Amino acid sequence: MVEQLNAVVGDDVVLGLGLSLLKHLGLMVPAMKSAPDFSWQGLDIPQTPSALCVWVRGADAGVVALRTRKIVQQLAGAFELIDELDGFLHRNGRDVTGYEDGTENPVGEAADKAAFVSVGPFAKSSFMAIQCWQHDMEAFEALPLSARNHVIGRDLDTNEELDDAPARAHVKRTEQDSFSPPQFVLRRSMAWQAATKMGLMFVAFGASFDAFEAQMYRMTGSADGIRDALFDISRPLTSAYYWCPALDNNRLVLDGMLSD
Ligand code: HEM
């Protein structure tokens, strides 16, 4: 099964191994776990674990489609495809609501520090949190521009952070520097659309799941009673955690992780 996984590794693929697969392979990754139940006071956030997440990336939708088809064939017999979704880059990285996403992502060394384990046997591996958010575009479009800006906490046109944004504005809730200690992740979310439904496939990479969870508990309101205004116009349909092993020469680095 590891050889099947190695066969699909490539620069255009992000491979996330779920907890059930790690257990099946007898691999011990101590910081790995299932996504907790983030549901809180009327918010239903489904837990949707799976054995494997394969994210095929590329600029040409046809190339991605054919590569995906090949991967499904390569993994057949060991894995069953249970869900699939096409993402796309919208206006250079904007959410379909029009807001720029990723502005406050760490860059350079700070990005490496946030996204990857830095030392030890798990160095250069990463913990990936994924949630598929579906927007209520009607509810969003019914809001006047000032109210939309207050949902995010930034100006739609200039992307400036708003001084008068309410405490429940999304960027107020998730401001990475406002945590003690600061809680940084590297976000690589993408817009998605399927017939009339659309939203954001939220993807965050971390050296652990701690920063993502701190942000999520603030967003739901379970940390301090203030719920993120994003929930007025969107909701997560899925919530799952994966571990992305380091790669060496296009092979997964799994040495020394076998449990007794
Ligand atoms: C519908 C889903 C979401 C949408 C549309 C969305 C959109 C945005 C936008 C437009 C920004 C401002 C620009 C930027 O710095 O990237 C932002 C910031 C941010 N979001 Fe989200 N987001 C969503 C879900 C989430 C989730 C689930 C988390 C983590 C639990 C999260 C964490 C963050 C963080 C950490 C920032 C940067 C805050 C800062 O340090 O200023 N977002 N998001």
Side-chain angles (χ1 to χ4, degrees), residues 19-254:
L19 190 59
S20 61
L21 178 57
L22 293 179
K23 284 186 178 157
H24 182 79
L25 295 174
L27 295 172
M28 275 290 285
V29 183
M32 183 57 192
K33 55 181 175 174
S34 277
D37 187 359
F38 291 112
S39 302
W40 176 253
Q41 293 193 341
L43 272 187
D44 179 29
I45 302 183
Q47 295 164 282
T48 53
S50 74
L52 185 67
C53 171
V54 185
W55 180 10
V56 186
R57 294 165 57 88
D60 182 320
V63 172
V64 170
L66 292 168
R67 173 80 156 112
T68 304
R69 186 177 144 72
K70 174 126 193 270
I71 290 173
V72 171
Q73 288 166 349
Q74 285 170 311
L75 295 177
F79 297 91
E80 182 193 354
L81 183 63
I82 55 167
D83 204 3
E84 57 188 302
L85 191 68
D86 288 333
F88 58 91
L89 192 64
H90 174 53
R91 294 172 60 207
N92 218 13
R94 287 172 193 253
D95 177 57
V96 286
T97 53
Y99 288 89
E100 273 189 44
D101 190 22
T103 312
E104 292 295 338
N105 258 336
V107 291
E109 276 180 27
D112 286 349
K113 189 171 167 225
F116 298 105
V117 178
S118 50
V119 290
F122 302 99
K124 296 188 178 161
S125 74
S126 184
F127 295 89
M128 176 171 69
I130 300 195
Q131 292 183 332
C132 179
W133 287 66
Q134 183 180 341
H135 295 351
D136 181 344
M137 291 301 277
E138 280 72 30
F140 176 72
E141 285 161 359
L143 297 174
L145 181 59
S146 59
R148 293 181 193 184
N149 286 344
H150 279 179
V151 167
I152 299 294
R154 282 183 178 267
D155 186 278
L156 177 68
D157 298 318
T158 65
N159 195 29
E160 290 296 315
E161 210 169 326
L162 302 173
D163 292 336
D164 64 345
R168 60 193 296 267
H170 180 53
V171 300
K172 292 277 184 203
R173 294 280 69 209
T174 53
E175 192 177 352
Q176 296 157 104
D177 266 327
S178 70
F179 293 85
S180 180
Q183 301 287 354
F184 280 90
V185 292
L186 186 65
R187 288 168 292 135
R188 284 285 184 263
S189 309
M190 293 198 80
W192 68 269
Q193 176 267 343
T196 56
K197 299 174 189 159
M198 54 172 57
L200 188 79
M201 183 61 91
F202 175 87
V203 185
F205 294 93
S208 74
F209 293 114
D210 293 354
F212 169 75
E213 285 181 8
Q215 294 165 13
M216 200 57 208
Y217 288 129
R218 274 235 196 118
M219 285 181 68
T220 60
S222 70
D224 57 9
I226 305 172
R227 177 162 298 168
D228 196 309
L230 256 188
F231 285 105
D232 296 357
I233 58 126
S234 194
R235 69 191 172 96
L237 305 177
T238 69
S239 187
Y241 283 175
Y242 300 92
W243 176 64
C244 303
L247 298 180
D248 184 20
N249 263 331
N250 268 349
R251 293 183 69 80
L252 305 171
V253 177
L254 301 173

